[in-house]
Amino acid sequence: VNEIGACEASFPIVPATATDDFSADGDITISFVRSDGQLAINDPFQVGETVITWTATDEAGNVSESCEQLIKVNDAEAPLAIAQDITLELDVDGFVILLPEDLNNAVTPSSDNCTPVEELVYNASRTEFNCSDLEAPVMVFFTVTDATGNESTAVTAEVTVMDAMAPVLTCGNAIQQTSQSGQALLLEVIPPSVLDNCDTDLS
């Protein structure tokens, strides 16, 4: 398992052993190669899999067949989620979609010991809002998931929903009639129609 706050782990490795019919143990040379580069045997191992290939050479220069040792380090550390409050504006239909990544704090972003910030997956407990959410801020739970599936502790953010769209007023057609002999006319005047993304009962 990784060390806290790091994407690696350090632990002692017991070298391989070898025997030979003619060479004493002290005359056999044990060598190794790490698949992650020319590192010392007890240098830290990164999260993931590292293969150590061991060989033995006797005093006559005979080299053994190699054997492989698999070192696997798991990332068991969850990301740290840091959220920010956000304000959303409703569209012409009275709806708005929240992108979970917009809850990630812009000043102090969420982070993880292994996964780069741009590869983290952001999650929100709610992403769709409408006119019924105008009265007060909505509390949303925000979490972050890293590349190995570790999920952060949930934190809260306030989502404020605003209606910034003015109603659309449509007037009726112009009325033009001629009075006969100055008599009063009885006209039917149709009130203008009003459309709004949230208020459906406007007059």
Side-chain angles (χ1 to χ4, degrees):
V1 177
N2 68 291
E3 297 171 359
I4 298 300
C7 194
E8 61 186 23
S10 297
F11 42 84
I13 298 295
V14 178
T17 60
T19 59
D20 187 73
D21 291 340
F22 299 102
S23 300
D25 290 347
D27 295 324
I28 298 175
T29 301
I30 305 293
S31 58
F32 70 91
V33 175
R34 286 176 48 159
S35 62
D36 55 352
Q38 297 179 347
L39 301 173
I41 192 62
N42 288 321
D43 281 347
F45 292 87
Q46 299 297 308
V47 165
E49 294 185 351
T50 301
V51 175
I52 304 175
T53 302
W54 297 94
T55 56
T57 305
D58 65 15
E59 58 184 334
N62 299 307
V63 181
S64 69
E65 292 184 2
S66 62
C67 67
E68 294 185 344
Q69 182 180 15
L70 176 64
I71 306 298
K72 186 173 182 179
V73 179
N74 294 321
D75 175 19
E77 186 171 346
L80 175 64
I82 303 179
Q84 64 181 1
D85 298 335
I86 192 172
T87 298
L88 303 175
E89 291 188 2
L90 296 173
D91 62 15
V92 293
D93 297 315
F95 292 94
V96 64
I97 300 295
L98 167 68
L99 298 177
E101 56 265 33
D102 290 341
L103 293 179
N104 191 34
N105 193 290
V107 178
T108 309
S110 304
S111 61
D112 184 66
N113 61 312
C114 284
T115 305
V117 174
E118 61 272 13
E119 296 179 18
L120 293 172
V121 177
Y122 303 100
N123 319 287
S125 60
R126 183 177 172 188
T127 58
E128 296 183 1
F129 300 85
N130 55 45
C131 298
S132 65
D133 300 307
L134 290 171
E135 297 299 324
V138 179
M139 301 302 296
V140 175
F141 292 103
F142 174 65
T143 60
V144 179
T145 305
D146 67 15
T148 47
N150 298 312
E151 187 174 39
S152 69
T153 300
V155 295
T156 58
E158 286 189 357
V159 176
T160 301
V161 180
M162 294 183 60
D163 176 17
M165 302 193 69
V168 177
L169 182 68
T170 303
C171 294
N173 295 329
I175 300 174
Q176 181 176 346
Q177 292 193 22
T178 302
S179 172
Q180 300 294 329
S181 303
Q183 298 296 317
L185 295 176
L186 181 63
L187 303 177
E188 182 182 1
V189 178
I190 300 175
S193 62
V194 183
L195 293 177
D196 187 72
N197 58 334
C198 279
D199 297 320
T200 58
D201 187 22
L202 292 175
S203 58

